[in-house]
């Protein structure tokens, strides 16, 4: 999957920064094969989005939370149901190194497309917890009509 438009490249960078902060690893571009391993044939992704607290003032986290919300909430899948869901996107549980047969929470995003703006400092705050409230502006990004409908999010507890 090649990103040719500047907004998509910016979104890819923002997502890489978000997930790199959580893993304490430096972001690196994924090859087509690696992207195929992450994205199922139906467009689902194997990543969770944490909902910020109700008093959170971070436009980046709030925008992603709105984009990846579901009106129906999560459904709990048994290990056999999760295996069947994985098979539907060409995966097996053995391909997931940190999955050990737990119950899985499955959420299908049905949020309407959202438009939101955020500063690069919002990304730093979301991914590292660092505050950047003074100094020169690091720039603003606007995502217009960001549409994540149909995305499937699977979450399980790591032992």
């Amino acid at each position: 999957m090649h990103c040719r438009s500047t907004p998509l490249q910016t979104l890819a960078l923002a997502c890489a920064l978000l997930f790199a902060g959580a893993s304490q690893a430096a972001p690196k571009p994924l090859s087509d094969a690696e992207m195929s391993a992450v994205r199922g044939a139906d467009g689902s992704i194997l990543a969770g989005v944490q909902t910020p607290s109700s008093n959170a003032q971070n436009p980046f986290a709030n925008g992603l939370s709105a984009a990846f919300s579901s009106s129906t909430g999560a459904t709990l899948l048994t290990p056999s149901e999760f295996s069947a869901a994985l098979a539907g996107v060409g995966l097996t549980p053995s391909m997931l190194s940190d999955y050990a047969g737990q119950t899985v929470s499955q959420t299908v995003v049905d949020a309407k497309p959202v438009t939101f703006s955020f500063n690069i400092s919002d990304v730093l705050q979301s991914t590292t917890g660092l505050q950047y409230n003074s100094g020169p502006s690091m720039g603003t990004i606007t995502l217009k009509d960001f549409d994540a409908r149909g995305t499937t999010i699977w979450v399980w507890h790591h032992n």
Side-chain angles (χ1 to χ4, degrees):
M1 171 188 215
H2 299 285
C3 291
R4 291 195 175 103
S5 70
T6 301
L8 286 178
Q9 289 174 337
T10 303
L11 175 61
L13 175 62
C15 287
L17 288 171
L18 174 70
F19 294 115
S23 68
Q24 301 298 321
K28 70 175 186 77
L30 297 177
S31 68
D32 286 343
E34 289 171 314
M35 286 298 291
S36 294
V38 174
R39 261 188 208 283
D42 68 348
S44 63
I45 58 173
L46 303 174
V49 176
Q50 295 290 327
T51 304
S53 65
S54 60
N55 61 354
Q57 298 298 314
N58 186 310
F60 177 68
N62 291 344
L64 286 179
S65 177
F68 286 93
S69 66
S70 171
S71 64
T72 59
T75 303
L76 289 179
L77 301 178
T78 65
S80 60
E81 291 170 328
F82 180 55
S83 181
L86 284 174
V89 295
L91 299 173
T92 64
S94 63
M95 298 169 88
L96 307 173
S97 62
D98 57 354
Y99 179 71
Q102 305 93 321
T103 300
V104 174
S105 170
Q106 175 178 285
T107 304
V108 178
V109 175
D110 64 359
K112 293 180 180 176
V114 296
T115 298
F116 59 100
S117 297
F118 56 91
N119 296 317
I120 299 298
S121 59
D122 296 334
V123 177
L124 291 174
Q125 182 180 348
S126 291
T127 59
T128 67
L130 298 175
Q131 300 294 319
Y132 184 83
N133 297 326
S134 61
S137 171
M138 298 178 73
T140 300
I141 296 172
T142 297
L143 295 178
K144 183 172 173 59
D145 296 328
F146 182 78
D147 189 355
R149 286 179 291 191
T151 300
T152 300
I153 301 171
W154 290 312
V155 179
W156 61 87
H157 176 73
H158 298 264
N159 293 327

